[in-house]
Amino acid sequence: MKTAEIMANLAAKHPGENEYLQAVQEVLESIEEVYNQHPEFEKAKIVERMVEPDRIFTFRVTWVDDKGQVQTNLGYRIQFNSAIGPYKGGLRFHKAVVPSMLKFLGFEQTFKNALTTLPMGGAKGGSDFDPVGKSNDEIMRFCQAFMTELWQCIGPDQDIPAGDVGVGGREIGYLYGMYKKLAREYNTGVLTGKGATWGGSILRPEATGFGALYFTQHLLHKAGKDIAGKKVALSGFGNVAWGAATKAKELGAKVVAISGPDGVCEIPEGITDEMIAYMLEMRASNRNKVEDMATKFPGKAKFTAGKKAWSIPCDIALPCAFQNELSEDDAKELQKNGCWCCCEVSNMGCQPGAIHYFQNNGILFAPGKAVNAGGVATSGLEMTQNASHISWSAKEVDEKLHFIMESIHEQCVKYGTQPDGHIDYVKGANIAGFMKVATAMLEQGII
Ligand code: GLU
């Protein structure tokens, strides 16, 4: 495989799409060696086909705000790869959404979904709609307008969206309501992350964070360590950070920091159940300010403006917010303050320089597509429940999630163990996902 040539061609076709090119580069670097052992992949031009999305839908979304003003946003759905199943992946509502971001996320999703053991292809979608400061009514009107276009692209056996940054249970509810009206289809399996009373899976809201902690436990056990009693710093305070904080605390760790775009809250005595519950209120308020935690819990949470979670001394760092949120300088600061493990929970949360720094300095590191796959895996479990018209108990879902995270860890170990015995989780996750998708593509012919 000529990685440099493939990257140059891709950069020429997608100029300036840096996040997308960064995600592809990381995967190609990891798989090069394995790819070169399979001339049949080269002959079928598997990599050249895999790095391009199957198709991209772009649409205008017009809605009316609370002041009666007409607003226009752009909406997208990127159907990336359907080799192992119908398109599956979340919707992101964030002011910075552009095609490059959704292409990187759709590409990552393809490999992540392959790791879950479930038959799901990769997709991503969203809009540059900014939920910050919007009222509940505005959120509803936007979701309804977005669905007037999206409904034509999706279906329970075709493409199944879910949440991501800016899209949670409330938004999925409004989206499904409008889908039903337009499509006159009453199959709840068209979206995942639904409410518990209308087809949503128990534990789906918690699943990304819970799964991430189950994976972290496996990684630590493999390294002869345990999370109990360890200090954890995490970024964000949305759904993923909430699930991660809940499970970290349950496993006996001390969550000493959460953060937001405005700064960091240090919690020296560790996060409490009341604080974890308050994270949900902070998300629902659409204020996007972590400072609210310090205002609500004075003396327990100390807010510092403009600082990241990575400035707080910890054993384990869990980026749970946004891509490229942890730089090489942050990685150095973490190490200086005693951190020895980083599990990426956000998609591509660490910059390439940070990953290389961790790997070259003996800090345990695992990539988002393995660590955070419990979210989409539980979406897959939700689809199974919907298709068979049943609901599993929390115990059943949790057991299945445990099994899946253990299997993802095993796949990373299988493909990532290096000749000197150490485990490269980045390589392991990328090669495992790639082998599954590439084999399926090969068997389905040149399409
Ligand atoms: N947005 C989540 C992810 O990045 C979940 C996707 C889903 O459940 O379809 O994996």
Side-chain angles (χ1 to χ4, degrees):
M1 180 168 66
K2 299 179 186 74
T3 302
E5 198 180 306
I6 295 174
M7 288 310 302
N9 281 336
L10 203 66
K13 279 193 215 166
H14 306 269
E17 301 206 339
N18 296 335
E19 288 152 336
Y20 174 38
L21 298 170
Q22 178 188 335
V24 174
Q25 172 87 35
E26 183 205 286
V27 170
L28 296 196
E29 274 173 16
S30 298
I31 62 162
E32 192 162 3
E33 207 180 304
V34 171
Y35 190 81
N36 289 337
Q37 292 158 10
H38 290 271
E40 69 278 18
F41 289 161
E42 176 71 39
K43 187 159 175 275
K45 292 275 180 281
I46 294 290
V47 160
E48 287 83 344
R49 289 157 59 199
M50 199 184 262
V51 298
E52 291 287 355
D54 286 356
R55 63 189 69 81
I56 302 179
F57 299 102
T58 306
F59 43 89
R60 173 175 55 76
V61 184
T62 295
W63 55 286
V64 180
D65 69 17
D66 285 349
K67 296 193 199 89
Q69 308 267 337
V70 175
Q71 300 287 345
T72 291
N73 290 99
L74 285 176
Y76 309 91
R77 185 68 180 167
I78 301 195
Q79 297 182 334
F80 217 101
N81 188 297
S82 63
I84 64 169
Y87 300 106
K88 180 81 193 93
L91 297 170
R92 178 173 288 195
F93 292 170
H94 189 278
K95 61 178 192 276
V97 163
V98 286
S100 169
M101 194 192 290
L102 299 179
K103 280 185 215 167
F104 117 63
L105 289 163
F107 182 73
E108 291 277 298
Q109 197 81 42
T110 302
F111 295 90
K112 181 195 319 194
N113 293 3
L115 291 173
T116 63
T117 74
L118 304 173
M120 299 183 290
K124 205 81 187 191
S127 173
D128 59 358
F129 170 74
D130 182 6
V132 178
K134 299 294 187 296
S135 71
N136 196 45
D137 286 346
E138 288 175 322
I139 301 268
M140 180 176 77
R141 285 197 295 275
F142 176 78
C143 288
Q144 291 174 336
F146 184 81
M147 188 51 88
T148 59
E149 285 290 332
L150 183 73
W151 78 278
Q152 309 234 34
C153 317
I154 61 175
D157 297 313
Q158 278 162 284
D159 182 352
I160 305 95
D164 194 80
V165 175
V167 178
R170 166 182 53 186
E171 290 75 14
I172 293 293
Y174 296 145
L175 289 164
Y176 181 69
M178 191 48 122
Y179 172 82
K180 210 165 62 161
K181 223 170 153 51
L182 294 164
R184 297 201 179 180
E185 294 276 355
Y186 305 93
N187 187 337
T188 55
V190 67
L191 292 166
T192 60
K194 299 179 288 291
T197 57
W198 48 281
S201 176
I202 289 188
L203 281 191
R204 176 62 189 90
E206 293 86 347
T208 310
F210 279 23
L213 268 295
Y214 297 157
F215 187 96
T216 305
Q217 273 288 55
H218 284 296
L219 174 140
L220 294 181
H221 289 166
K222 188 83 190 159
K225 299 175 189 291
D226 193 83
I227 199 168
K230 304 297 182 303
K231 283 192 216 152
V232 172
L234 56 84
S235 58
F237 56 85
N239 172 263
V240 173
W242 164 75
T246 306
K247 190 52 83 176
K249 180 169 182 291
E250 205 181 299
L251 295 174
K254 206 178 190 187
V255 177
V256 292
I258 62 169
S259 67
D262 51 335
V264 63
C265 268
E266 185 175 2
I267 312 165
E269 295 311 312
I271 205 162
T272 62
D273 291 338
E274 295 72 40
M275 289 170 151
I276 293 174
Y278 190 63
M279 286 166 94
L280 292 178
E281 281 182 50
M282 285 160 64
R283 150 81 172 84
S285 77
N286 290 336
R287 281 171 46 81
N288 212 17
K289 288 198 187 320
V290 80
E291 187 176 5
D292 292 356
M293 184 64 87
T295 312
K296 176 87 179 168
F297 297 95
K300 285 189 176 170
K302 187 175 149 271
F303 175 70
T304 310
K307 284 275 183 193
K308 293 186 186 178
W310 323 132
S311 61
I312 307 295
C314 67
D315 298 292
I316 299 167
L318 300 178
C320 294
F322 216 57
Q323 69 268 12
N324 291 326
E325 56 173 309
L326 199 157
S327 68
E328 186 173 344
D329 285 347
D330 295 328
K332 288 179 183 162
E333 187 170 8
L334 277 167
Q335 192 194 30
K336 199 179 78 204
N337 288 334
C339 173
W340 45 266
C341 173
C342 173
C343 283
E344 193 182 55
V345 191
S346 44
N347 292 309
M348 208 165 79
C350 295
Q351 296 178 14
I355 298 177
H356 293 143
Y357 186 81
F358 287 141
Q359 290 179 325
N360 295 334
N361 288 278
I363 295 171
L364 294 167
F365 176 77
K369 57 171 81 68
V371 179
N372 75 27
V376 72
T378 307
S379 277
L381 301 178
E382 183 168 325
M383 288 161 64
T384 306
Q385 293 170 77
N386 295 155
S388 35
H389 305 282
I390 50 166
S391 293
W392 291 327
S393 65
K395 186 170 170 284
E396 282 172 289
V397 177
D398 200 33
E399 274 170 14
K400 289 182 169 62
L401 176 60
H402 261 288
F403 170 81
I404 289 170
M405 297 317 296
E406 186 178 356
S407 151
I408 296 173
H409 183 261
E410 277 168 12
Q411 294 174 65
C412 291
V413 172
K414 178 175 169 195
Y415 289 102
T417 303
Q418 301 303 295
D420 66 0
H422 99 275
I423 303 161
D424 183 333
Y425 282 88
V426 176
K427 259 194 171 173
N430 285 333
I431 296 175
F434 169 78
M435 287 304 287
K436 187 166 175 185
V437 178
T439 307
M441 287 175 70
L442 200 64
E443 288 174 6
Q444 291 168 27
I446 308 297
I447 50 167

